Amino acid sequence: MKMEQVRQAYASVAELYIELFGTSQQVHADDLAFVGRHLAGRPGTVLDLGCGPGHITDYLRSLGVDAMGIDMVPEFIAHARAAHPNGRYQLGSMENLAVANHSIAGILAWGSLIHLPPEDLDGVLAEFRRVMAPAGTLVLGLFVGDEVAAFDHKVVTAYRWPVDEFCERLARAGFTEVERLQRPSEGAHRPHAAIAAIATVG
């Protein structure tokens, strides 16, 4: 699954996606609390990678975070700029971030890694580590399962991960897990995990 296919798939359903998921009120309260707990109060810029309609970027800004949203779908960035005119949103790819080494205080990747083929994950995590300041914080959300496996996501093919295995990938990339939150399936919602990790110093 190439990222261009993912971009096209989301662009084709952008209006519906924004309607269904485009406000922070549509995010689970426990998830918002987890995001805020680990990213609020950090000095410096926090990147919301795969920000979609920009609602969680805006939530972070409401907590005083210098948050910037980045997404590869022009329709999402256009909506985010219109809906949150005081925010910062730009087109970009998490595979090649246009920021300096060790310059970012935190990264939020909330559901934005789910479409990455497993063989591409390590490269993206290495890019996250490149831009992260010492002891910077990474917060991410993912779908979980007993093994790494593809499944038919409503938009485009996605992957589920065992949490321990995903955290091993984080450790290899230079991150130390500090907290995880797991939630079983609820109705139409698949089993989910949130992970917070700190960039290892050195």
Side-chain angles (χ1 to χ4, degrees):
M1 178 63 58
K2 299 299 183 182
M3 286 299 100
E4 176 59 20
Q5 292 174 273
V6 175
R7 186 196 67 76
Q8 291 176 2
Y10 274 93
S12 71
V13 298
E15 186 174 335
L16 176 61
Y17 187 95
I18 290 165
E19 179 182 339
L20 293 176
F21 305 112
T23 69
S24 58
Q25 289 77 25
Q26 292 159 308
V27 181
H28 197 290
D30 290 346
D31 293 339
L32 287 179
F34 189 92
V35 169
R37 183 160 63 248
H38 290 283
L39 292 175
R42 298 204 60 82
T45 299
V46 170
L47 300 181
D48 181 5
L49 300 179
C51 68
H55 51 300
I56 303 184
T57 317
D58 187 64
Y59 169 73
L60 285 170
R61 287 178 56 80
S62 77
L63 300 178
V65 178
D66 178 20
M68 178 169 67
I70 297 177
D71 203 284
M72 62 181 175
V73 180
E75 291 84 351
F76 285 157
I77 294 299
H79 171 85
R81 288 171 173 168
H84 313 292
N86 294 324
R88 290 189 294 154
Y89 299 93
Q90 67 182 42
L91 282 170
S93 168
M94 70 180 73
E95 296 176 294
N96 186 20
L97 296 168
V99 296
N101 293 351
H102 312 305
S103 62
I104 297 301
I107 289 174
L108 176 64
W110 197 256
S112 51
L113 299 175
I114 63 171
H115 302 295
L116 272 181
E119 62 270 20
D120 293 344
L121 177 64
D122 291 344
V124 170
L125 293 179
E127 178 69 350
F128 289 3
R129 186 65 184 83
R130 177 188 71 79
V131 304
M132 193 78 80
T137 300
L138 170 62
V139 176
L140 54 90
L142 69 155
F143 294 119
V144 299
D146 294 332
E147 60 183 5
V148 180
F151 67 91
D152 290 330
H153 185 272
K154 288 183 179 179
V155 179
V156 66
T157 300
Y159 297 85
R160 58 173 66 92
W161 286 81
V163 181
D164 287 341
E165 186 170 345
F166 198 98
C167 287
E168 288 173 8
R169 296 286 192 107
L170 288 174
R172 292 209 302 266
F175 293 96
T176 300
E177 178 191 355
V178 293
E179 187 183 0
R180 70 174 68 172
L181 171 70
Q182 288 187 248
R183 191 162 56 248
S185 58
E186 298 176 354
H189 297 283
R190 298 178 177 87
H192 170 271
I195 302 168
I198 300 295
T200 306
V201 177

